[in-house]
């Protein structure tokens, strides 16, 4: 049943990303930004999915610290990978839009700086998992929890401080034609995230099983 659901999600994500460019092309154009405005349909959904991945990593990290169950740790690790991937998409697409809107690729305002710091926290998270040695699973869980605590700050930064970045009220006020395309893009990115998360967790589980079998064979060879 899980395999069938995963296959259906893969197909849905594939169909969504095939249709996405056509829908974005047909969406109404904000003429003051010309075609660069179209990057919005990739930038914001990637940001949303990154935030979701941060929360999954943080919550799974807490679950692992409490229960010590490997499934929680595998989920946190998978989500951490996806934070970095979707965060990279966000940090790449944003300056493309910003160059036309603001005349510069980057400004060190509250939203951009805090977003970059959040992404760097999860780059550090991956480094800790890879090179941290014994106890890195628990330390990385704490790093993920720290990253999760930063998400509300990143989200409200545009409403609290004066920034060039648009406020959070942009999405609810999208005009008809833009709104439907945006939510379709958000759904496509979310389904893709779910597929990648499930596949990454499955890979981690299979790696753990291979390591267990290898250790068993090693023990048997020593006994013989």
């Amino acid at each position: 049943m899980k395999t069938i659901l995963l296959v259906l999600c893969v197909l849905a994500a594939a169909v969504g990303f095939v249709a996405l460019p056509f829908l974005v092309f047909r969406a109404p154009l904000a003429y003051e930004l010309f075609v660069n405005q179209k990057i919005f349909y990739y930038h914001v959904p990637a940001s949303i999915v990154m935030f979701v991945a941060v929360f999954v990593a943080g919550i799974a990290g807490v679950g692992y610290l409490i229960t010590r169950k490997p499934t929680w740790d595998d989920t946190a690790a998978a989500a951490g990978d996806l934070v970095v991937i979707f965060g990279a998409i966000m940090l790449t697409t944003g300056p493309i839009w910003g160059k036309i809107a603001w005349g510069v690729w980057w400004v060190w305002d509250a939203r951009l700086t805090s977003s970059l710091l959040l992404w760097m926290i999860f780059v550090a998270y991956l480094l800790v998992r890879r090179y941290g040695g014994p106890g890195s699973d628990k330390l990385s869980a704490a790093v993920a929890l720290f990253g999760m605590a930063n998400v509300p700050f990143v989200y409200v930064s545009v409403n609290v401080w004066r920034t060039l970045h648009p406020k959070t009220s942009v999405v609810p006020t999208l005009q008809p034609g833009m709104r439907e395309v945006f939510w379709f893009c958000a759904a496509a990115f979310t389904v893709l995230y779910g597929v990648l998360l499930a596949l990454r967790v499955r890979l981690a589980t299979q790696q753990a099983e291979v390591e267990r079998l290898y250790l068993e064979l090693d023990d048997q060879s020593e006994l013989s």
Side-chain angles (χ1 to χ4, degrees):
M1 184 64 183
K2 291 182 179 179
T3 302
I4 294 175
L5 180 60
L6 180 60
V7 171
L8 291 176
C9 289
V10 170
L11 292 174
V15 171
F17 275 87
V18 168
L20 194 151
F22 297 98
L23 294 175
V24 170
F25 177 78
R26 292 173 59 87
L29 186 65
Y31 288 99
E32 66 275 12
L33 299 178
F34 198 49
V35 295
N36 287 62
Q37 180 266 339
K38 302 288 187 177
I39 205 73
F40 166 85
Y41 297 103
Y42 297 88
H43 174 71
V44 179
S47 305
I48 293 172
V49 170
M50 184 193 73
F51 287 153
V52 171
V54 169
F55 276 109
V56 171
I59 293 171
V62 172
Y64 178 70
L65 290 174
I66 294 173
T67 66
R68 292 296 193 271
K69 291 183 178 180
T71 302
W72 284 112
D73 189 45
D74 293 341
T75 302
D81 288 344
L82 296 176
V83 171
V84 174
I85 291 172
F86 285 100
I89 295 173
M90 175 194 71
L91 293 170
T92 302
T93 55
I96 297 174
W97 181 90
K99 177 61 176 175
I100 299 298
W102 310 328
V104 293
W105 292 103
W106 184 270
V107 290
W108 293 98
D109 71 1
R111 168 54 72 87
L112 275 69
T113 304
S114 59
S115 297
L116 177 62
L117 289 175
L118 178 61
W119 183 76
M120 292 175 66
I121 287 172
F122 276 87
V123 171
Y125 170 87
L126 298 185
L127 292 175
V128 168
R129 293 198 67 94
R130 180 65 179 85
Y131 302 107
S136 61
D137 51 352
K138 295 183 283 292
L139 178 58
S140 61
V143 174
L145 185 59
F146 174 70
M148 184 176 70
N150 277 271
V151 170
F153 170 77
V154 177
Y155 181 77
V156 303
S157 59
V158 291
N159 299 325
V160 176
W161 289 278
R162 180 179 298 178
T163 69
L164 291 176
H165 193 283
K167 296 184 181 296
T168 56
S169 59
V170 169
V171 172
T173 58
L174 287 174
Q175 62 176 284
M178 288 184 175
R179 186 185 305 119
E180 295 80 6
V181 174
F182 170 78
W183 287 115
F184 180 89
C185 295
F189 269 81
T190 302
V191 173
L192 176 64
Y193 163 75
V195 168
L196 294 176
L197 181 69
L199 291 175
R200 178 64 179 82
V201 171
R202 177 178 292 188
L203 176 62
T205 302
Q206 292 172 345
Q207 287 175 332
E209 182 65 17
V210 169
E211 290 176 2
R212 185 186 65 80
L213 292 173
Y214 177 80
L215 290 174
E216 287 182 0
L217 291 173
D218 189 50
D219 291 339
Q220 291 176 3
S221 63
E222 289 180 358
L223 292 174
S224 60

